[in-house]
């Protein structure tokens, strides 16, 4: 079975085996390490800490990779509830990227303050929207904050803005590469891709 066949058939264990064998031959291949890291997030592994280990190895190979920094920061937040100061500062120093990428950086940074510091979370969400109005997530979170503060009309406006920006509805029949950094970013960071269940939940916010 080839790597492509393993991914297409959602054979996560075989995908891991193939990637590990390739990395043994090509230890400095950042792309393979990232693919392996994302593989570890899926059933039957669900191992975010091992994913972070592989992403740190990728960072050692390519310290200035914004993509890897985004993935590592998001997964660290997901697993531990916070982005470590050193990693957060690295995100803050990113400046020579496209507005779209800078928006993604601010989205990830906003996670650090979710349900902890509303003012700071809003600051990063507004910056994300300033850089790019294409990502649904910051509109959704601002809508959520407005709703929590009793501003129902503003909340609905922002929920609608989020819905309008979803570009991909993932169904069980969708072609999906679970090792793809872009697919991960689209689904978990920007929310440009939503599963049918999550898209319905988003739409229910506007009812």
């Amino acid at each position: 079975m080839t790597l492509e066949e393993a991914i297409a058939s959602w054979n996560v264990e075989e995908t891991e085996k193939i990637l590990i064998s390739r990395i043994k031959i090509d230890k400095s291949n950042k792309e393979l390490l990232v693919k392996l890291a994302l593989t570890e997030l899926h059933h039957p592994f669900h191992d975010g800490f091992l994913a972070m280990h592989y992403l740190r190895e990728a960072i050692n190979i390519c310290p200035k990779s914004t993509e890897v920094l985004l993935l590592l920061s998001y997964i660290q937040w997901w697993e531990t509830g916070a982005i470590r100061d050193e990693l957060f500062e690295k995100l803050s120093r990113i400046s020579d990227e496209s507005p779209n990428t800078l928006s993604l950086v601010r989205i990830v940074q906003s996670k650090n303050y979710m349900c902890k510091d509303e003012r700071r979370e809003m600051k990063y969400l507004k910056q994300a929207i300033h850089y790019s109005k294409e990502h649904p997530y910051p509109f959704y979170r601002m809508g959520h904050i407005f709703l929590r503060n009793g501003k129902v009309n503003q909340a609905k406006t922002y929920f609608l803005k989020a819905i309008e920006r979803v570009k991909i509805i993932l169904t069980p029949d969708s072609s999906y590469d679970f090792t793809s950094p872009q697919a991960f970013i689209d689904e978990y960071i920007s929310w440009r891709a939503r599963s049918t269940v999550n898209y319905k939940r988003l739409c229910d916010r506007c009812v």
Side-chain angles (χ1 to χ4, degrees):
M1 181 179 287
T2 67
L3 177 61
E4 292 72 20
E5 288 169 341
I7 293 169
S9 62
W10 273 88
N11 191 329
V12 177
E13 291 170 295
E14 186 65 22
T15 299
E16 181 197 48
K17 186 188 302 182
I18 295 169
L19 287 168
I20 288 173
S21 66
R22 288 194 181 182
I23 290 167
K24 285 179 180 178
I25 299 168
D26 188 2
K27 293 182 174 64
S28 62
N29 192 313
K30 173 182 72 73
E31 286 73 22
L32 290 178
L33 283 165
V34 171
K35 282 180 170 293
L36 181 56
L38 296 178
T39 299
E40 300 300 342
L41 298 176
H42 293 280
H43 179 80
F45 306 125
H46 297 301
D47 195 338
F49 289 96
L50 185 54
M52 286 190 283
H53 167 75
Y54 290 128
L55 289 171
R56 289 189 188 99
E57 288 192 8
I59 284 287
N60 289 336
I61 294 166
C62 192
K64 293 186 178 180
S65 172
T66 299
E67 179 182 76
V68 180
L69 280 171
L70 282 172
L71 296 172
L72 178 56
S73 300
Y74 180 89
I75 295 168
Q76 188 175 90
W77 166 79
W78 180 260
E79 292 293 339
T80 69
I83 302 169
R84 291 183 181 176
D85 291 345
E86 180 184 357
L87 198 52
F88 193 91
E89 285 304 313
K90 285 183 179 180
L91 291 172
S92 296
R93 289 196 293 270
I94 295 170
S95 59
D96 57 344
E97 293 283 358
S98 68
N100 181 72
T101 300
L102 291 173
S103 178
L104 292 170
V105 169
R106 296 298 179 261
I107 288 172
V108 171
Q109 288 182 298
S110 76
K111 295 282 189 179
N112 219 34
Y113 302 106
M114 190 168 70
C115 302
K116 298 176 185 176
D117 188 327
E118 189 176 281
R119 182 183 62 82
R120 286 187 177 181
E121 184 185 4
M122 283 287 278
K123 168 191 167 183
Y124 285 100
L125 293 171
K126 287 178 180 178
Q127 288 179 5
I129 292 171
H130 168 75
Y131 283 119
S132 175
K133 295 177 174 59
E134 295 302 312
H135 306 306
Y137 178 81
F139 289 99
Y140 167 79
R141 274 303 298 173
M142 287 185 68
H144 183 81
I145 292 169
F146 285 135
L147 187 62
R148 194 166 60 204
N149 285 280
K151 299 177 180 179
V152 177
N153 290 335
Q154 282 178 278
K156 285 188 175 182
T157 297
Y158 274 77
F159 289 143
L160 283 170
K161 287 177 183 286
I163 291 168
E164 290 167 359
R165 285 160 174 79
V166 175
K167 301 301 180 185
I168 303 168
I169 308 296
L170 299 169
T171 69
D173 297 324
S174 296
S175 175
Y176 185 85
D177 180 354
F178 58 84
T179 71
S180 163
Q182 188 59 58
F184 184 93
I185 289 168
D186 284 346
E187 185 175 5
Y188 295 101
I189 298 177
S190 76
W191 284 24
R192 285 169 60 84
R194 297 272 77 198
S195 68
T196 50
V197 171
N198 285 327
Y199 184 71
K200 183 180 184 304
R201 286 174 181 165
L202 181 56
C203 292
D204 288 345
R205 285 288 193 174
C206 297
V207 175

